[in-house]
Amino acid sequence: MGHREGMERSARSRVLLAVSLLCCLVPSLGGPNVCTTRSATSASCHECLLTHPQCAWCSQEEFGGSRTVTSRCDFVHNLISRGCKKDFIEGPGSSVTITKNLPLSTKESSSSQTNFIQVAPQKISLSLRPGAAASFKVHVRQVEDYPVDLYYLMDLSLSMKDDLDTIRNLGTKLAAEMKKLTSNFRLGFGTFVDKNMSPYSYTAPKYQNNPCTGYKYFPVCVPSFGFRHLLSLTDKANSFNAEVQKQRVSRNRDAPEGAFDAILQAAVCGDRIGWRKEASHLLLITTDDVPHVALDGKLAGVVQPHDGQCHLNENNEYSASDKLDYPSLALLGDKLSENNINLIFAVTKSNYVLYKNFTALIPGTTAEILDQDSQNIIQLIVSAYNNIRSKVELMVSDSPEDLGLSFTATCQDGVSYPGVKKCGELKIGDTVSFEVSVEARNCHPPGTEHTFTIKPVGFRDTLEVTVTYNCSCSCTQQVETASSKCSSNGTYTCGVCDCDTGFLGARCECGEEEISSDVSQNTCREAEGKTVCNGRGRCLCGLCVCYESEFGIISGSFCQCDDFSCARYKGILCSGHGECDCGECKCHAGYIGDNCNCTIETSSCLSDDGQMCSGKGNCVCGRCQCIEPGAFGETCEKCPTCPDACGTKRDCIECRLYQTGRLADNQTCQKLCKDQIITVEELNTDNPEAAVCIYKTESDCVMRFTYSEESGRSVLRVLKEPECASAPDTLTVLLAVVGSILLIGLVLLAVWKLLVTIHDRREFSRFQSDRSRARYEMASNPLYRPAVSTHNVDEMYNMLSKSYNGTT
């Protein structure tokens, strides 16, 4: 017995140590201690545990000072630091115990077809303390070569006649295709139309045996019916073919079909259908129209809600069509989940959107588009099966309302997704995990037990979770009435006294008459006229017993001192660099000031180049105060407008981009030049806050860059290549000179020609003017007569003759 108690005590100590370490992480340092409020100070152990999930109770008899009203309710690490031994600490936490954890199956590890395990663990027990969450992991694997049961549910309304013709030999083809996915495949068959009632079907006497009477396009068909189970699940594909070939279509009056009636019966009539517990259950429904839903039965006077039970008669036909309303989506979802059935809607394109919306309301459901004549039915089934097997989604059943559950999925990519309980894009054989956190919101009486299940949608495997509640104190089992520890004036339990009527005090040592006397009260006043114990304590038997504040410790003979009323800096008492001693900060070494916020260290003011505040400011209380206009930064190192800004950044550009300059030493460059350097094709100089810098490189080229501060970081934008002058080309210069001379000559020649032309025209004009004037004078002057010479021809002839003769 003693050995067992020792083991329990050791285990309890380890739990308390873990809780103590966890308590160090709670936000009590950033605000009031929730465990030591005044309401909790006088609380019982049970009330303490309900205050906060990390609060614990000290039941040790000698605990706390005699002059302080000490709270026994506190965080574990605080209780230990104040002298409470671990064996006397009542601080139960939440715990997880795995009671069944068989390994996940693989194709090779399964010895038979009935012991596949796809979920681990299988059973877990939780002991929960309200507010303290317990977490565990669930692993899920889609096992290879898993058995498959497929039940084919077909709409036999008249519009599906061509589809019926298509699937008459479907069984053989489908079995061959499914053999590629699983070696254990079974197939069943059922049909439906709608309730054989008006206004859904033709019910007049002439239509009872042949609702197609008078319908010229198809004059013969069978009477309508709600649901008919025709073939239980079997591995004989020929039986499926034979059953399909016997079927004939029917005719109903309105467009919607009774699909939901048929789905529910196929789901809940497991014995008739032949669903195997160890197989994956697929329910395929093919239809070309919308379904009737709950409350549609009112049209025929059927108002009783569906009871979710099996109603197949001895002929395997649905017998409650005229008694029960159509089932609701919620009822369908519950029954499909309860029986681990994945529903596949194979519908025509015009109705796909509606059925796709149904999949969001019914877990484990998919929707596929069916060709008008069902030619793609095999590809559709294989695609839907692969789609179902490619995802895992957890669902919870029978969870109590006062339990809070949260999920974090870790899918195949290894990434955690908080708040997600679904993984997709999986391959058969992949393993995924989900972390489940469970938290109790309320405390239940001892012995209360709740059970709920967690399972992947469509799986038969489940995780059973059993919950008990841990919010009681073991010390309450030991009670001492009229205890000497309480001066025989009260009951002692869990380290405190519950005083009888008329007695007060930690040990019930004072009577009410002593406490209320003026003499006793006056001895608890610091000075006449002041309040008893300065209003921060109780006067018990003539002495001040100070309250325990949620902010700190109240002390002093008259409770006049405390350790929390000193000056603060940014909300932190004495800046965190001193101790509060009766209202005054006592600073630690290296700090000064009323609130100890000023350090005398200057190392934080040294810039990378070793200067104090980069030579642009003063170090005050460990921080640089920049005095250079435009300088800023932790060490005043940023200053785009300073005169030396371009020179400083030039050195960084040269060493970072070209490994030249005075900072070319790699270590010096990396230490001093931490700016972001961006090379650009064209420099933007329009930014008024950026300094434009220009300098001449060692190769007599011109480098331009801008310096700006963006988001707290220095940014240098530099041209990719410096601007360098190139040597002149001799031939180009010669051609340019010759061309210039020719051009100038041509220009001068043109000018000369222009001047000559102007001069000639001017002279010609003058000549024309003079000529005109002369003609006028000769033709019009009456005083002028031109000279006239008159010659006698005969005389001239005689003279010439004489002259000639004389010569001869």
Side-chain angles (χ1 to χ4, degrees), residues 537-555:
R538 296 169 60 189
C539 184
L540 297 178
C541 304
L543 295 175
C544 282
V545 179
C546 302
Y547 296 131
E548 190 167 89
S549 171
E550 61 189 49
F551 302 108
I553 299 174
I554 300 174
S555 59

PDB file of all heavy atoms in Angstrom, residues 537-555:
ATOM      1  N   GLY A 537      -6.490  46.435   4.913  1.00  0.00           N
ATOM      2  CA  GLY A 537      -6.347  45.248   5.743  1.00  0.00           C
ATOM      3  C   GLY A 537      -7.484  45.151   6.744  1.00  0.00           C
ATOM      4  O   GLY A 537      -8.366  46.020   6.818  1.00  0.00           O
ATOM      5  N   ARG A 538      -7.464  44.088   7.533  1.00  0.00           N
ATOM      6  CA  ARG A 538      -8.476  43.854   8.561  1.00  0.00           C
ATOM      7  C   ARG A 538      -7.810  43.927   9.929  1.00  0.00           C
ATOM      8  O   ARG A 538      -6.672  43.479  10.115  1.00  0.00           O
ATOM      9  CB  ARG A 538      -9.105  42.467   8.363  1.00  0.00           C
ATOM     10  CG  ARG A 538      -9.852  42.310   7.071  1.00  0.00           C
ATOM     11  CD  ARG A 538     -10.211  40.852   6.800  1.00  0.00           C
ATOM     12  NE  ARG A 538     -11.056  40.312   7.875  1.00  0.00           N
ATOM     13  CZ  ARG A 538     -11.362  39.027   7.984  1.00  0.00           C
ATOM     14  NH1 ARG A 538     -10.864  38.143   7.131  1.00  0.00           N
ATOM     15  NH2 ARG A 538     -12.146  38.608   8.961  1.00  0.00           N
ATOM     16  N   CYS A 539      -8.535  44.492  10.831  1.00  0.00           N
ATOM     17  CA  CYS A 539      -8.034  44.578  12.201  1.00  0.00           C
ATOM     18  C   CYS A 539      -8.548  43.359  12.967  1.00  0.00           C
ATOM     19  O   CYS A 539      -9.735  43.248  13.271  1.00  0.00           O
ATOM     20  CB  CYS A 539      -8.515  45.878  12.861  1.00  0.00           C
ATOM     21  SG  CYS A 539      -7.835  46.130  14.526  1.00  0.00           S
ATOM     22  N   LEU A 540      -7.659  42.455  13.258  1.00  0.00           N
ATOM     23  CA  LEU A 540      -8.017  41.236  13.976  1.00  0.00           C
ATOM     24  C   LEU A 540      -7.264  41.192  15.302  1.00  0.00           C
ATOM     25  O   LEU A 540      -6.015  41.198  15.310  1.00  0.00           O
ATOM     26  CB  LEU A 540      -7.686  39.999  13.147  1.00  0.00           C
ATOM     27  CG  LEU A 540      -8.443  39.847  11.822  1.00  0.00           C
ATOM     28  CD1 LEU A 540      -7.988  38.600  11.085  1.00  0.00           C
ATOM     29  CD2 LEU A 540      -9.946  39.775  12.079  1.00  0.00           C
ATOM     30  N   CYS A 541      -8.025  41.213  16.341  1.00  0.00           N
ATOM     31  CA  CYS A 541      -7.439  41.116  17.682  1.00  0.00           C
ATOM     32  C   CYS A 541      -6.400  42.209  17.908  1.00  0.00           C
ATOM     33  O   CYS A 541      -5.342  41.983  18.509  1.00  0.00           O
ATOM     34  CB  CYS A 541      -6.823  39.746  17.912  1.00  0.00           C
ATOM     35  SG  CYS A 541      -7.995  38.381  17.666  1.00  0.00           S
ATOM     36  N   GLY A 542      -6.668  43.411  17.397  1.00  0.00           N
ATOM     37  CA  GLY A 542      -5.808  44.561  17.615  1.00  0.00           C
ATOM     38  C   GLY A 542      -4.630  44.666  16.677  1.00  0.00           C
ATOM     39  O   GLY A 542      -3.817  45.577  16.819  1.00  0.00           O
ATOM     40  N   LEU A 543      -4.503  43.796  15.687  1.00  0.00           N
ATOM     41  CA  LEU A 543      -3.392  43.840  14.739  1.00  0.00           C
ATOM     42  C   LEU A 543      -3.938  43.894  13.316  1.00  0.00           C
ATOM     43  O   LEU A 543      -4.971  43.302  13.018  1.00  0.00           O
ATOM     44  CB  LEU A 543      -2.497  42.609  14.891  1.00  0.00           C
ATOM     45  CG  LEU A 543      -1.752  42.465  16.217  1.00  0.00           C
ATOM     46  CD1 LEU A 543      -1.006  41.136  16.257  1.00  0.00           C
ATOM     47  CD2 LEU A 543      -0.774  43.615  16.439  1.00  0.00           C
ATOM     48  N   CYS A 544      -3.187  44.623  12.466  1.00  0.00           N
ATOM     49  CA  CYS A 544      -3.578  44.704  11.055  1.00  0.00           C
ATOM     50  C   CYS A 544      -3.127  43.457  10.311  1.00  0.00           C
ATOM     51  O   CYS A 544      -1.940  43.092  10.342  1.00  0.00           O
ATOM     52  CB  CYS A 544      -2.956  45.944  10.393  1.00  0.00           C
ATOM     53  SG  CYS A 544      -3.805  47.487  10.785  1.00  0.00           S
ATOM     54  N   VAL A 545      -4.050  42.813   9.680  1.00  0.00           N
ATOM     55  CA  VAL A 545      -3.738  41.702   8.778  1.00  0.00           C
ATOM     56  C   VAL A 545      -4.055  42.207   7.368  1.00  0.00           C
ATOM     57  O   VAL A 545      -5.217  42.409   7.012  1.00  0.00           O
ATOM     58  CB  VAL A 545      -4.569  40.459   9.117  1.00  0.00           C
ATOM     59  CG1 VAL A 545      -4.232  39.343   8.137  1.00  0.00           C
ATOM     60  CG2 VAL A 545      -4.307  40.025  10.544  1.00  0.00           C
ATOM     61  N   CYS A 546      -2.993  42.454   6.595  1.00  0.00           N
ATOM     62  CA  CYS A 546      -3.146  43.108   5.287  1.00  0.00           C
ATOM     63  C   CYS A 546      -3.786  42.175   4.267  1.00  0.00           C
ATOM     64  O   CYS A 546      -3.533  40.966   4.252  1.00  0.00           O
ATOM     65  CB  CYS A 546      -1.787  43.575   4.761  1.00  0.00           C
ATOM     66  SG  CYS A 546      -0.930  44.714   5.873  1.00  0.00           S
ATOM     67  N   TYR A 547      -4.593  42.794   3.408  1.00  0.00           N
ATOM     68  CA  TYR A 547      -5.172  42.033   2.316  1.00  0.00           C
ATOM     69  C   TYR A 547      -4.072  41.636   1.323  1.00  0.00           C
ATOM     70  O   TYR A 547      -3.034  42.303   1.215  1.00  0.00           O
ATOM     71  CB  TYR A 547      -6.222  42.850   1.564  1.00  0.00           C
ATOM     72  CG  TYR A 547      -7.433  43.214   2.394  1.00  0.00           C
ATOM     73  CD1 TYR A 547      -7.902  44.532   2.426  1.00  0.00           C
ATOM     74  CD2 TYR A 547      -8.111  42.249   3.130  1.00  0.00           C
ATOM     75  CE1 TYR A 547      -9.017  44.864   3.170  1.00  0.00           C
ATOM     76  CE2 TYR A 547      -9.224  42.574   3.887  1.00  0.00           C
ATOM     77  CZ  TYR A 547      -9.670  43.887   3.909  1.00  0.00           C
ATOM     78  OH  TYR A 547     -10.757  44.214   4.647  1.00  0.00           O
ATOM     79  N   GLU A 548      -4.318  40.585   0.611  1.00  0.00           N
ATOM     80  CA  GLU A 548      -3.414  40.199  -0.479  1.00  0.00           C
ATOM     81  C   GLU A 548      -3.988  40.747  -1.772  1.00  0.00           C
ATOM     82  O   GLU A 548      -5.047  40.335  -2.222  1.00  0.00           O
ATOM     83  CB  GLU A 548      -3.266  38.685  -0.560  1.00  0.00           C
ATOM     84  CG  GLU A 548      -2.145  38.276  -1.509  1.00  0.00           C
ATOM     85  CD  GLU A 548      -1.788  36.811  -1.353  1.00  0.00           C
ATOM     86  OE1 GLU A 548      -2.422  35.997  -2.049  1.00  0.00           O
ATOM     87  OE2 GLU A 548      -0.929  36.492  -0.521  1.00  0.00           O
ATOM     88  N   SER A 549      -3.299  41.716  -2.346  1.00  0.00           N
ATOM     89  CA  SER A 549      -3.796  42.393  -3.539  1.00  0.00           C
ATOM     90  C   SER A 549      -3.439  41.616  -4.793  1.00  0.00           C
ATOM     91  O   SER A 549      -2.416  40.924  -4.846  1.00  0.00           O
ATOM     92  CB  SER A 549      -3.208  43.812  -3.622  1.00  0.00           C
ATOM     93  OG  SER A 549      -3.512  44.403  -4.858  1.00  0.00           O
ATOM     94  N   GLU A 550      -4.272  41.756  -5.802  1.00  0.00           N
ATOM     95  CA  GLU A 550      -3.978  41.129  -7.091  1.00  0.00           C
ATOM     96  C   GLU A 550      -2.827  41.812  -7.792  1.00  0.00           C
ATOM     97  O   GLU A 550      -2.257  41.270  -8.740  1.00  0.00           O
ATOM     98  CB  GLU A 550      -5.216  41.181  -7.989  1.00  0.00           C
ATOM     99  CG  GLU A 550      -5.684  42.591  -8.294  1.00  0.00           C
ATOM    100  CD  GLU A 550      -7.033  42.620  -8.990  1.00  0.00           C
ATOM    101  OE1 GLU A 550      -7.964  41.951  -8.521  1.00  0.00           O
ATOM    102  OE2 GLU A 550      -7.131  43.321 -10.006  1.00  0.00           O
ATOM    103  N   PHE A 551      -2.425  43.011  -7.320  1.00  0.00           N
ATOM    104  CA  PHE A 551      -1.331  43.755  -7.948  1.00  0.00           C
ATOM    105  C   PHE A 551       0.015  43.478  -7.304  1.00  0.00           C
ATOM    106  O   PHE A 551       1.060  43.758  -7.900  1.00  0.00           O
ATOM    107  CB  PHE A 551      -1.612  45.258  -7.911  1.00  0.00           C
ATOM    108  CG  PHE A 551      -2.896  45.639  -8.590  1.00  0.00           C
ATOM    109  CD1 PHE A 551      -3.997  46.043  -7.845  1.00  0.00           C
ATOM    110  CD2 PHE A 551      -3.013  45.587  -9.963  1.00  0.00           C
ATOM    111  CE1 PHE A 551      -5.178  46.379  -8.461  1.00  0.00           C
ATOM    112  CE2 PHE A 551      -4.192  45.926 -10.587  1.00  0.00           C
ATOM    113  CZ  PHE A 551      -5.292  46.326  -9.844  1.00  0.00           C
ATOM    114  N   GLY A 552       0.042  42.988  -6.067  1.00  0.00           N
ATOM    115  CA  GLY A 552       1.304  42.750  -5.388  1.00  0.00           C
ATOM    116  C   GLY A 552       1.092  42.515  -3.909  1.00  0.00           C
ATOM    117  O   GLY A 552       0.026  42.090  -3.460  1.00  0.00           O
ATOM    118  N   ILE A 553       2.139  42.814  -3.125  1.00  0.00           N
ATOM    119  CA  ILE A 553       2.125  42.562  -1.676  1.00  0.00           C
ATOM    120  C   ILE A 553       1.924  43.865  -0.923  1.00  0.00           C
ATOM    121  O   ILE A 553       2.636  44.854  -1.149  1.00  0.00           O
ATOM    122  CB  ILE A 553       3.442  41.899  -1.235  1.00  0.00           C
ATOM    123  CG1 ILE A 553       3.608  40.553  -1.953  1.00  0.00           C
ATOM    124  CG2 ILE A 553       3.481  41.712   0.277  1.00  0.00           C
ATOM    125  CD1 ILE A 553       4.939  39.881  -1.687  1.00  0.00           C
ATOM    126  N   ILE A 554       0.945  43.850  -0.013  1.00  0.00           N
ATOM    127  CA  ILE A 554       0.721  44.974   0.906  1.00  0.00           C
ATOM    128  C   ILE A 554       1.360  44.595   2.235  1.00  0.00           C
ATOM    129  O   ILE A 554       1.170  43.487   2.748  1.00  0.00           O
ATOM    130  CB  ILE A 554      -0.777  45.250   1.089  1.00  0.00           C
ATOM    131  CG1 ILE A 554      -1.413  45.607  -0.268  1.00  0.00           C
ATOM    132  CG2 ILE A 554      -1.008  46.364   2.097  1.00  0.00           C
ATOM    133  CD1 ILE A 554      -2.918  45.753  -0.220  1.00  0.00           C
ATOM    134  N   SER A 555       2.124  45.521   2.820  1.00  0.00           N
ATOM    135  CA  SER A 555       2.862  45.211   4.039  1.00  0.00           C
ATOM    136  C   SER A 555       2.889  46.435   4.955  1.00  0.00           C
ATOM    137  O   SER A 555       2.343  47.498   4.638  1.00  0.00           O
ATOM    138  CB  SER A 555       4.289  44.756   3.688  1.00  0.00           C
ATOM    139  OG  SER A 555       4.972  45.782   2.972  1.00  0.00           O
TER     140      SER A 555
END
